[in-house]
Amino acid sequence: RTSLAQRGTTTVEFAVVGAVLMLVLLGVVEFGRLLYTYVVVNEGARRAARVASVCPIGDAAIPAAALYNGRAILRGVDAGNVAVEYLDALGGVVAAPAANFAQIRSVRVRMANVNHEMFIPLVAPTIRVPEFPVTLPRESLG
């Protein structure tokens, strides 16, 4: 038999342990979502750089490749987040790539200004995902 003073002890213990367990579980899920966002941004930049090295300068297929052919994989990410730069032999950005076609030696694509929105309350609501620049040597460029 339990005494009257200990009657609600297990309920209180479960509430404390359950809250901690739920917080840990939500933290693991949120970390997985953040890691997924990093991988999608990195892979999108890699795909776009590959397309940019073989497609004509300014081709619409470049941001489409970064965005997985137009499918909205990440909320709030669009063609404006894809930055394409054409580089010369020293790694400097070629100012007018179409006019200075012969100077282009490599292509760099960055996914910029991507934010990850957290689902967990009482934590920073958004995390800025770092840019993942991918540089590949120029191939045909169309």
Side-chain angles (χ1 to χ4, degrees), residues 37-53 62-68 74 77 81-84 107-112 114 130-136:
T37 301
Y38 277 44
V39 168
V40 167
V41 169
N42 189 16
E43 178 65 13
R46 189 200 63 77
R47 289 167 48 110
R50 177 69 186 123
V51 171
S53 69
I62 298 168
L67 302 174
Y68 297 83
L74 296 176
V77 178
N81 297 98
V82 181
V84 181
V107 178
R108 178 172 53 212
V109 176
R110 297 177 291 117
M111 297 282 288
V114 176
E131 295 180 358
F132 290 100
V134 177
T135 305
L136 292 178

Side-chain angles (χ1 to χ4, degrees), residues 123-142:
V123 181
T126 59
I127 294 176
R128 176 65 59 107
V129 177
E131 295 180 358
F132 290 100
V134 177
T135 305
L136 292 178
R138 163 199 167 155
E139 291 185 24
S140 64
L141 290 178

Side-chain angles (χ1 to χ4, degrees), residues 105-122:
R105 293 292 173 259
S106 57
V107 178
R108 178 172 53 212
V109 176
R110 297 177 291 117
M111 297 282 288
N113 301 320
V114 176
N115 292 319
H116 173 75
E117 296 179 15
M118 303 282 281
F119 282 159
I120 297 177
L122 305 176

Side-chain angles (χ1 to χ4, degrees), residues 55-72:
C55 284
I57 294 171
D59 194 336
I62 298 168
L67 302 174
Y68 297 83
N69 298 323
R71 289 180 276 154

